[in-house]
Amino acid sequence: MNDVLIDLTAGSIGGGIGCLCGHPLDTVKVHMQRSYFSSTAAAVSRIFSSEGSRGFFKGVTPPLAAVAMYQAVCFASFSLAFKAVAPGQLEENASLRSLFVAGSLSGMATVFVTTPTDLLKIRLQLQDAGAGPRYKGMRHCASEVLRQEGLAGFYRGAVATAYRDTLSTGLYFTVYHSVKRAAMQSAYFQQMQNQELGTSSSRSSDANLFATSSSSNGARTCVELMAGGFAGVAAWGCLIPADTVKTRLQSQIPPSPATFGSAALEKQERRFWPTLNRIVEREGFWRLYGGSAPLLTRAFFVNAVTFYAYEETLRFIQTA
């Protein structure tokens, strides 16, 4: 099978599983970024009391429907960019600089997919079921955005998404491979590997850790889950303010002079830096970090699952 097609398939499966696992925490994060809550528990209680458990899965259709395309673009574009940046090298042995550049290029490529799907997801997550939902579903939401705001409405917050995804995806792949390498070289994981292989050597080859296709390799599973989790936390943690600004921009439904006072102010409210400055001036600097707890918790578990599912799917395809 073609390498690009393999990456498309593995990325789609890994992303879909990760999306389903992490969406409840994403819903909590979006609510905390949009409105003030004293704690994560308060946000969870508010959502559950007003909408029940189903409220945590509001807006899951857009990211789930688009996750195949997004993760396909992410992993496939990373592989293509890596081959261009570091021709003839393997990801396992490449420099961190090469991994970061390839990851950043991959993040840039995903902006065109991420922005409209995130916008629909946020609009659906923030509508109040108690007051009567504004949208009947993903299709209705998309048609309303198109009718009221035009095609450009789907790309509200694109600059904030680019700030967030370009650098964060570079960190994403860099941290993943860094943690994986460090874990492979640690005495603890070498001992685990030796026990599973039934060997007595003090240090086995690093390649052995990922050489077998069996999904029962506990050492390999631990490494991939841990590396994926830390990659997610690093990638999301450094750019929470950009994600907060993006949420504010994309949750406007839709802006108008009546809402913001004037056409000039409306234009300002649609832009990244004026919106960031307004949040800091009116609500304080730390408001940019609203929703950090559910975001980082979600980032760890979702990306641990995503990377592990991606790697496991690759092994399955390559040995099929």
Side-chain angles (χ1 to χ4, degrees):
M1 187 183 292
N2 181 275
D3 288 345
V4 174
L5 185 57
I6 290 175
D7 281 319
L8 295 175
T9 304
S12 299
I13 294 173
I17 295 173
C19 176
L20 287 173
C21 291
H23 193 78
L25 283 169
D26 184 72
T27 298
V28 175
K29 181 265 295 185
V30 167
H31 276 269
M32 293 183 71
Q33 287 179 333
R34 185 65 180 84
S35 305
Y36 179 77
F37 289 96
S38 59
S39 65
T40 301
V44 170
S45 177
R46 169 70 174 78
I47 296 170
F48 185 78
S49 62
S50 62
E51 304 176 63
S53 58
R54 294 182 61 181
F56 294 100
F57 287 92
K58 282 171 54 178
V60 72
T61 305
L64 188 60
V67 75
M69 183 184 299
Y70 168 75
Q71 292 294 356
V73 171
C74 182
F75 283 100
S77 61
F78 172 77
S79 295
L80 292 172
F82 178 77
K83 290 176 182 177
V85 171
Q89 295 186 37
L90 297 175
E91 293 177 19
E92 290 76 9
N93 303 316
S95 68
L96 298 184
R97 179 182 178 181
S98 297
L99 292 169
F100 181 80
V101 172
S104 297
L105 292 172
S106 171
M108 191 180 301
T110 64
V111 170
F112 299 100
V113 177
T114 308
T115 305
T117 57
D118 268 7
L119 182 136
L120 296 177
K121 171 182 70 69
I122 288 169
R123 297 282 178 91
L124 289 168
Q125 284 175 321
L126 290 177
Q127 63 178 345
D128 190 347
R134 182 185 182 94
Y135 307 111
K136 299 175 182 177
M138 184 184 69
R139 290 184 179 180
H140 182 238
C141 182
S143 66
E144 286 296 293
V145 172
L146 183 62
R147 182 179 65 83
Q148 296 180 14
E149 305 171 58
L151 188 61
F154 289 102
Y155 287 90
R156 183 187 305 280
V159 173
T161 304
Y163 280 131
R164 184 195 70 177
D165 289 357
T166 301
L167 296 177
S168 66
T169 308
L171 280 175
Y172 189 55
F173 286 101
T174 303
V175 172
Y176 177 73
H177 285 286
S178 297
V179 174
K180 194 160 93 168
R181 291 176 190 177
M184 288 168 64
Q185 295 169 1
S186 70
Y188 176 76
F189 283 101
Q190 289 293 336
Q191 183 179 10
M192 287 182 63
Q193 179 70 0
N194 291 336
Q195 290 175 350
E196 290 177 0
L197 295 176
T199 61
S200 59
S201 60
S202 60
R203 290 187 65 84
S204 59
S205 169
D206 290 346
N208 286 342
L209 188 59
F210 299 95
T212 63
S213 60
S214 173
S215 60
S216 63
N217 189 322
R220 182 188 63 212
T221 299
C222 288
V223 168
E224 290 172 352
L225 288 171
M226 181 176 66
F230 279 117
V233 170
W236 280 95
C238 69
L239 292 168
I240 292 174
D243 188 60
T244 299
V245 174
K246 182 188 74 67
T247 297
R248 294 294 184 92
L249 289 169
Q250 293 184 324
S251 63
Q252 296 171 9
I253 315 176
S256 66
T259 304
F260 298 106
S262 69
L265 183 56
E266 174 191 348
K267 185 176 181 180
Q268 290 291 307
E269 294 285 349
R270 296 187 185 194
R271 296 169 57 190
F272 179 83
W273 291 109
T275 301
L276 186 148
N277 291 334
R278 179 175 58 83
I279 294 172
V280 173
E281 290 173 1
R282 297 182 183 178
E283 305 174 49
F285 175 79
W286 293 111
R287 194 69 187 92
L288 292 171
Y289 289 86
S292 296
L295 186 152
L296 295 177
T297 303
R298 172 187 177 276
F300 185 90
F301 287 105
V302 167
N303 290 287
V305 171
T306 296
F307 259 113
Y308 174 69
Y310 170 77
E311 298 275 20
E312 195 68 16
T313 304
L314 278 182
R315 284 187 287 269
F316 176 80
I317 293 174
Q318 292 168 349
T319 58

